[in-house]
Amino acid sequence: MPTKVPAGFLWGTATASYQIEGATRADGRGPSIWDVFSHTPGKVQAGETGDIACDHYHRWEEDLDHLARLGAGAYRFSIAWPRVQPTGAGPVNRAGLDFYDRLVDGLAARGIKAVATLYHWDLPQALQDKGGWPARDTAHRFADYAAVVAEALGDRVSTYTTLNEPWCSAFLGYASGVHAPGLTSPLAALRAAHHLNLGHGLAVQAVRAAVPRAALSVTLNLHVIRPASDKQEDHDAARQVRAVGNEIFCGPMLSGAYPEDLRADLGPITDFGFVRDGDLDQIRQPLDWLGINYYSSSQVRRRPPGQTAAATSTAGSGGHGGGNPWVGAESVEFLDPNPPLTAMGWNIDPPALTELLVDTARRYPGLDLAVTENGSAFPDTLEPDGRVHDSKRIAYLEQHVQAVAEAIRQGAPVKGYFAWSLMDNFEWAWGYSRRFGLIHVDYSDGLKRRWKDSAHRFQRLATTGV
Ligand code: IFM
């Protein structure tokens, strides 16, 4: 590979609690919205659930040994709120918290930094029953939970990340309904977005109060949206999608305001009356770095007046069809992605990652960045030699690491790269049909872990930088 990342660059892998842990009823864990959603017929492909997943809850030591062998300097995992507070509020479930206690000690023992995400989509169902993220109280409950975790894990966690991809929580969860809790209300999605923003700001403050030296971040799946032509209307379509895809979070979190164009676009749906005095000051908190998840890019154009929306793509955003998550931008048409595509139907566009990183660095000077997820699903085959020769995943990995190195060369302060994912896991509405792992999980043979060729490639990157 021509360009190398600088010395000290952090190599890691990422996972999320509901996608790998299983043991959904162990040690007092309460139900989450994903337990309820995945057990609802028709919501997840083949009726699959995270009940067992990769059984990481019981095999975490073996998994951390893999991480250490991979040469990972950091591990990005998420904490299941319903393990810590089974009903999302009130009494702490010590047994659930103990799992993460052991995990962070296990990481420290292996010399691996813990990057802990507080919320990767598994909201306690009891809070959803009280309104979920569209209800303001959820933001306050989230801050309480963040304080509990920070007090317990303290500075053994190298970075606390408040939210993973709040766009998915708000718009796939409450507008298109393809993610839990499966609602299809544009207004509920916008309220959810604001309360996720508020929850982020309150949680940053709660963690800092408990652990003054803690490093804090948030992870956003910033969409790279290209206009399909030079026409003004297509540029405006792209701007509109960026507003409700990116700026709705970047604005309040990083600049302290919802952008005017977003307010104007959403005017027919809401007057933003759910934003109370003082909220924006609570939301905009200094961050130690911004996590960016990137998989693919999209092209859009303005739909001709009178033409109705067909199936809407949610490329690059965990999209699985369903309703339209692009609230307020219903007159925007997503073009079919250009091949080659991954098994998710997403395009492969490494230069877009460079552009995204360089552009974000330019817009927010002084803020360090990390790619907190990047990876690809392909239909892997376990060969007779017992290996998975996943050359397409290796190519994807190399091209995107190269794109990161190029962004650094152009001046973007990118400090780390986390491959999605450490191992194959529960890919939300796609169940186990989509494999993103560096490590193959054999669902029909006792969840046996086997290194794919891409794991060996990652090991070389992590240990030599090339
Ligand atoms: O598996 C997901 C992850 O949970 C969030 N980011 C995108 C990944 C691939 O869809």
Side-chain angles (χ1 to χ4, degrees), residues 48 107 124 252 322 376 380:
E48 289 170 336
L107 287 167
S376 53
D380 297 325

Side-chain angles (χ1 to χ4, degrees), residues 19 120-121 164-165 293 295 344 346 373 420 427-428 436:
Q19 294 182 271
H120 195 129
W121 308 354
N164 175 73
E165 301 183 356
N293 291 356
Y295 291 86
M344 299 297 284
W346 299 344
E373 280 182 32
W420 184 269
E427 177 52 29
W428 308 112
F436 278 89

Side-chain angles (χ1 to χ4, degrees), residues 149-165:
V149 173
E151 275 156 21
L153 303 183
D155 57 12
R156 289 176 293 156
V157 167
S158 134
T159 298
Y160 288 92
T161 303
T162 54
L163 306 172
N164 175 73
E165 301 183 356

